[in-house]
Amino acid sequence: MGTAERLIASTQQLLWERGYVGTSPKMIQQHAGAGQGSMYHHFAGKPDLALQAIRRSAEELRSQAEEKFREPGPAYARIAAYMLREREALRGCRVGRLAHDPEVVASPILREPLAETFAYLRRRIEELLVEGRERGEFAEAMVAAEVAAALVAVVQGAYVLAQSAGSVEVFEQAVRGGLHLLAAYTA
Amino acid sequence: MGTAERLIASTQQLLWERGYVGTSPKMIQQHAGAGQGSMYHHFAGKPDLALQAIRRSAEELRSQAEEKFREPGPAYARIAAYMLREREALRGCRVGRLAHDPEVVASPILREPLAETFAYLRRRIEELLVEGRERGEFAEAMVAAEVAAALVAVVQGAYVLAQSAGSVEVFEQAVRGGLHLLAAYTA
């Protein structure tokens, strides 16, 4: 892996663990085993490097979600596969955790990959809900856009609850509760 | 307000805006208009002061929630009142946002008020769901503990979505979606 790639991968790890405010250029250089000169040769600075890292993490997350959305089977099962996929509950979401980072939220450029990721997740789940509703899987009255937003929120909130409690079990309870509610809409 | 109280109130504000990692003792002193000597006279250090501030914010949050839980009316309406209560969606939850703070999560002492707050919210909503189920408001099959965890997660996740999108409307969509799902359980 070249130096630029190592710097991006290290920044991804540090942003996941410590957030943007908690990650210094020095930490990134040490983690990547790269010098200061090398970092500034490849990137304009911490914001530029962080933007590449956040975009990369957002792409990885979307591609993992898309794998589940594309599984064969009814809409409910595909949404459940997304919500139940293996996660590191106590590390938090590599993308969502940055929504609580004051400097990410204050920067429209750094915030954009977050906005895109959640817009994508909501749109894909909404599409599955509409598809399921048309097939008679869900009740006619379902407001798909709002339910999709709620299901994405359940996963993000489940991380908050799990990290607060220091318990993976809490993550699973919240996600199962969300699916339980969705199941009430199925025939 | 005495100096100790001003220091606690300032720390509450800064933790809400910037998190624990993003808040320095100097920022707290400036915000409170207090000197370094005065801060260390009243508190052993940043962790001690932060613990008082987090406990205070957690108490405030629980008391605001309890007001809604105690309203008269059916369980669904009381849960809805909690979920729809006026919030500053783009500031995030003053307690939940700290679950993404690496130094809060790493400290069992600082994390405790977070754990307590979410355990309290889950327990109270579970009680309301059980009460509603016994009165015939909800379907018999409802797994109250899991659904309660999911509803608390919806609110916390709604903050993540709203802050990512820079949109209050997104918060409201997710919360309405959660209530919409819960309504499917009512007769």
Side-chain angles (χ1 to χ4, degrees), chain A residues 17-19 21-23 90-93 95-103 105 111-112 114-116 118 122 141-143 145-167 170 172-178 180-185, chain B residues 17-19 21-23 90-93 95-103 105 111-112 114-116 118 122 141-143 145-167 170 172-178 180-185:
Chain A
E17 281 164 30
R18 303 195 40 88
V21 166
T23 298
L90 295 183
R91 291 187 76 188
C93 173
V95 176
R97 64 108 63 232
L98 296 171
H100 285 140
D101 206 296
E103 294 179 13
V105 169
R111 190 164 57 68
E112 196 184 20
L114 281 60
E116 270 176 16
F118 292 116
R122 292 171 56 197
M142 175 185 275
V143 185
E146 293 185 358
V147 169
L151 293 173
V152 176
V154 164
V155 173
Q156 292 301 315
Y159 281 117
V160 172
L161 269 52
Q163 290 192 291
S164 295
S167 154
V170 168
E172 290 161 1
Q173 281 189 320
V175 167
R176 281 198 307 267
H180 197 65
L181 284 167
L182 181 61
Y185 256 101
Chain B
E17 280 163 31
R18 301 194 42 86
V21 166
T23 297
L90 296 182
R91 292 188 74 188
C93 173
V95 176
R97 64 111 60 233
L98 296 170
H100 285 140
D101 206 296
E103 295 180 11
V105 169
R111 190 165 55 70
E112 196 184 23
L114 281 61
E116 270 176 16
F118 292 117
R122 292 171 55 197
M142 174 185 275
V143 185
E146 293 184 358
V147 169
L151 293 173
V152 176
V154 164
V155 173
Q156 292 301 315
Y159 282 117
V160 172
L161 269 51
Q163 289 192 292
S164 295
S167 153
V170 168
E172 290 161 2
Q173 281 189 320
V175 167
R176 280 199 308 266
H180 197 65
L181 284 167
L182 181 60
Y185 256 102

Side-chain angles (χ1 to χ4, degrees), chain B residues 47-165:
Chain B
D48 177 35
L49 175 48
L51 178 61
Q52 308 305 321
I54 297 171
R55 282 187 182 151
R56 188 74 61 87
S57 293
E59 280 160 23
E60 288 168 6
L61 188 151
R62 290 196 294 261
S63 120
Q64 287 170 358
E66 191 58 37
E67 256 180 51
K68 301 298 178 186
F69 295 145
R70 287 200 179 156
E71 280 183 5
Y76 177 85
R78 289 150 76 191
I79 292 170
Y82 159 71
M83 292 184 69
L84 295 167
R85 81 174 173 82
E86 209 179 308
R87 292 173 201 268
E88 296 178 84
L90 296 182
R91 292 188 74 188
C93 173
R94 74 195 96 171
V95 176
R97 64 111 60 233
L98 296 170
H100 285 140
D101 206 296
E103 295 180 11
V104 171
V105 169
S107 157
I109 293 169
L110 292 178
R111 190 165 55 70
E112 196 184 23
L114 281 61
E116 270 176 16
T117 298
F118 292 117
Y120 159 82
L121 290 171
R122 292 171 55 197
R123 182 172 51 74
R124 289 295 282 127
I125 292 180
E126 182 182 351
E127 285 168 4
L128 287 174
L129 291 172
V130 169
E131 191 186 310
R133 196 173 57 190
E134 282 166 4
R135 284 193 202 156
E137 236 187 277
F138 301 116
E140 278 301 323
M142 174 185 275
V143 185
E146 293 184 358
V147 169
L151 293 173
V152 176
V154 164
V155 173
Q156 292 301 315
Y159 282 117
V160 172
L161 269 51
Q163 289 192 292
S164 295

Side-chain angles (χ1 to χ4, degrees), chain A residues 11 31 74 102:
Chain A
T11 306
H31 194 285

